[in-house]
Each structure stands twice: as C-alpha cells, then as structure tokens.
Amino acid sequence: MQTMWRNLSFAVVAVFATFFTACGDDSGSSTTESNKYESLDDLPNCTRSMDGEIVSVQGKNYICAFGEWLPEEPEFDSSSSEEEESSSSEEPESSSEEESSSSEEPESSSEEESSSSEESSSSEEPPPSGPDESEYDPENNTLTDLRDGKVYATTTIEIDDDERKVHYSEVWMAENLNYRYLQPTDTLDSSSFCFNNDPAYCSHYGRLYLWSAAIDSAGVWDENGSGCGLGKICQPTAPVRGVCPKGWHLPNVDEVKALFVAVDGNDTTYDRQNEAGIKLKDTLTHDESPYGWRNFGHFKGSGTDDYSFAALPAGRRQCDRYSNPTNQYYNNDTIAEFWTASEDVTTKYKQENATKYTLRYDTDEAHTDYAEKDNGFSIRCVKNKE
C-alpha cells in the first residue's frame, strides 16, 4: 500500500535539497544552532519562504515542505507498492489558464472524456450521466447525488456553548466526494483522480481534485467559479457550489475555521493550536484496515470521531511540475487534506495558491494552510442553508 515516507524521501529530500524551486521556491538549508528547538510547538509556521528549511527538534530533523514540518527520517517501516502512473505525467490546466503546454490546472472543454490516460485506463465505471439533482435524507443522514447515483453519509454538527458564545449548526458530508469530474486539459483527460490510479482507493477515500475541478472552473454546474484556476486571482462569491451536488457547496476558509472552533471546545476564535483534529478524524487505524490512520510512534494517529465527521487519510496527488513522474501520490494513511473555495490571500502567490485544511496522524490539531492549485486533494461539501 502506498505510504508517505518512502515517497517523501524522493519528493521532499531529493527534490527539495537539489533544485527546490516548487511547489515552493526556496533553496533549503542545513540545521544550525539557531534551527534547533525543544518541541514541535516551538517551530515557526512552515511558510512558502521557508520551503526546504531543515530544523532539529530534540535531535530529530524536520523539513519544511507543502506547508508542513515533516520528519526527515520516519521511525517506522512501510511496505508500500510502487505507484503505477500512466503515460501522462503532467497536471491538468484550469479553464482559466492561457498556456496550452503548461502542466498546471484543468482546462475545460467537454465534461465527459473517456480516453484519459490516467482515469479511463482504469474504467471503474461509466461517466456520470444522471440529472443534476440531489436528495438529502435527514432521518437516515444520507445524501444521494443523482448525477451518478452515489450515496454519502452525512453528519449534522450542532453545538450550543453559551460560555464560549459559540452556536454552530451545519450539515457536512461524512465521506469524501467521489464524483468523477472529468474535465480534460491540454495534457490530461481528467482533473480528478483515484489515489495511485486505483479505483479501490476511490471507493474508500473518494477522489482527489485539482482546485480548478473543486471550484468547477469550467462552469459545468455553477458559473460562480467559472474561469478560476492557477495563474488567476479570482475570488468567487460564497457559497460556491463547485463540483458539489446540487444544494451543497464547497466550504470557504471561514466556514472551516468556524467548524474547528466549534468542535475544539476550548477556543472562541480560530487558533492553529487546537484539538479539533482528533475529534474529526475517524477511529479506523491502519492496523485494522489499510485505509485507516497510521500510528506515529507511540502516538495514536486515529481520532475519536466525536461528531461523525469520519475523516480518513486519503493523501494527495502531488502537482506534476515538481513530482516524480512515476510517483505522484503521497501520504495516504497519514494525512487528510481538503480544498476550500478560498484562494490564498496571505502571500504574494495569490494566483498560484488556494486554501486547504489539514488533519494529520501525528497531531491532535486541525488547521488551515495553502497549497498550489494543481495539487489533488479531497473534498467535503456542506449543505446550503434553507
């Protein structure tokens, strides 16, 4: 099974250390006395300007990569199989992109492309062809997406905390979206993917979407996000349906932060140092299932799933521009990453980055950060207010 560290040793250590120009553009550095810390809590935020930086925490090295401090040398062994990438190693281009030879974000033409070198080769099912409708059953906590007939578990998270003055009520999907958004690009015939191009992972984890697919830059279902993508600064008006079923939407970063504050139980405003992650992660462990959370040494990687959010570590599809062409899929069993509808507005790379939220196996927290739009992450949709 695909695991994080054998792959990351190539993608982060080899690539970042030799020609670190992206997804991130610093040159990296070795540890010095000033880069030594007593605990992980003392580390500065892993920002784009620090990509490739190596620090030491009590003798163990960590490298800044993808907005995270990742252990340079993991403490466990993994028996992972080699990923099988198809003949195409370039990332989808967004419908808003102008470069025909770029490997960036998805380009739109027709919705249903069946000859994808990545997706159609597996042909796990016919392209979606149902009506653009959905059915929500609050009694059974299910959502049926009639576009393809898939049924998803949902969870209603209601928290009334007068002491913290937190009053929260939203209906979230309790599974990752698995809609086959097949908008082609100049280089690929799809902009959503199964981890490792294996349909079995889609059955458990849902699909991994480029941000342009998440936002529906082709305007297939909603014009709100039309034209948005890599290389464009485009902040659509909330709520943004994106690729979500009708009546549901892709949450923006403020909605995600509100969720974290509500379930954390301690904070009244969003703080990266929280306990929301353990309460949102599924209880399933890697020992119980290859799709569960791996433990981090003596730290239990799974969660308590207090609100039936049931987040699983679906991993990511790394952007083609800077990944090993035969090894683009990372972190399944260790990290869950989800797109939001919000672009990154905190750095000078606004046109390249969008905001995501992350749950990890080695911490109880849940936090928001950013990534290049041509990475592939999971999606959770939120029900529209009546």
Side-chain angles (χ1 to χ4, degrees), residues 140-190:
N140 294 305
N141 294 313
T142 60
L143 161 67
T144 302
D145 186 351
L146 297 181
R147 295 177 298 179
D148 58 8
K150 288 187 173 65
V151 180
Y152 300 93
T154 64
T155 179
T156 301
I157 301 178
E158 293 183 317
I159 297 172
D160 286 308
D161 189 335
D162 291 334
E163 183 175 347
R164 290 190 298 142
K165 297 182 179 179
V166 172
H167 303 281
Y168 183 88
S169 179
E170 297 288 353
V171 180
W172 285 76
M173 288 175 58
E175 297 178 74
N176 296 348
L177 187 66
N178 191 19
Y179 178 74
R180 295 183 72 209
Y181 190 89
L182 304 180
Q183 285 296 312
T185 76
D186 288 334
T187 57
L188 292 174
D189 294 323
S190 178

Side-chain angles (χ1 to χ4, degrees), residues 363-374:
T363 178
D364 288 344
E365 72 183 29
H367 63 267
T368 62
D369 51 14
Y370 62 86
E372 282 79 1
K373 295 173 180 177
D374 51 350

Side-chain angles (χ1 to χ4, degrees), residues 8-79:
L8 211 53
S9 65
F10 182 92
V12 174
V13 178
V15 177
F16 288 9
T18 57
F19 61 94
F20 197 90
T21 57
C23 306
D25 58 1
D26 205 4
S27 59
S29 63
S30 60
T31 57
T32 64
E33 287 298 322
S34 62
N35 287 342
K36 294 182 178 180
Y37 298 87
E38 291 298 318
S39 72
L40 292 174
D41 292 336
D42 296 330
L43 293 178
N45 289 336
C46 173
T47 62
R48 188 186 183 99
S49 63
M50 297 184 68
D51 279 341
E53 287 284 337
I54 299 175
V55 300
S56 176
V57 179
Q58 296 185 354
K60 182 174 180 179
N61 286 349
Y62 289 77
I63 186 168
C64 177
F66 315 135
E68 307 283 347
W69 288 106
L70 303 175
E72 192 175 35
E73 297 180 0
E75 298 178 350
F76 56 84
D77 294 327
S78 61
S79 56

Side-chain angles (χ1 to χ4, degrees), residues 88 90-97 99-100 102-120 127 179-193 207 210 212-213 216-220 228 320:
S88 173
E90 296 185 345
E91 189 76 69
E93 177 86 14
S94 172
S95 61
S96 63
E97 308 308 303
E99 305 172 10
S100 62
S102 170
S103 58
E104 296 179 347
E105 195 79 357
E107 177 78 24
S108 67
S109 60
S110 63
E111 160 89 9
E112 320 300 348
E113 180 76 15
S114 61
S115 60
S116 169
S117 59
E118 292 209 0
E119 293 305 313
S120 297
Y179 178 74
R180 295 183 72 209
Y181 190 89
L182 304 180
Q183 285 296 312
T185 76
D186 288 334
T187 57
L188 292 174
D189 294 323
S190 178
S191 45
S192 67
F193 314 89
R207 301 182 77 82
L210 306 180
S212 62
D216 186 19
S217 67
V220 176
C228 296
D320 292 303

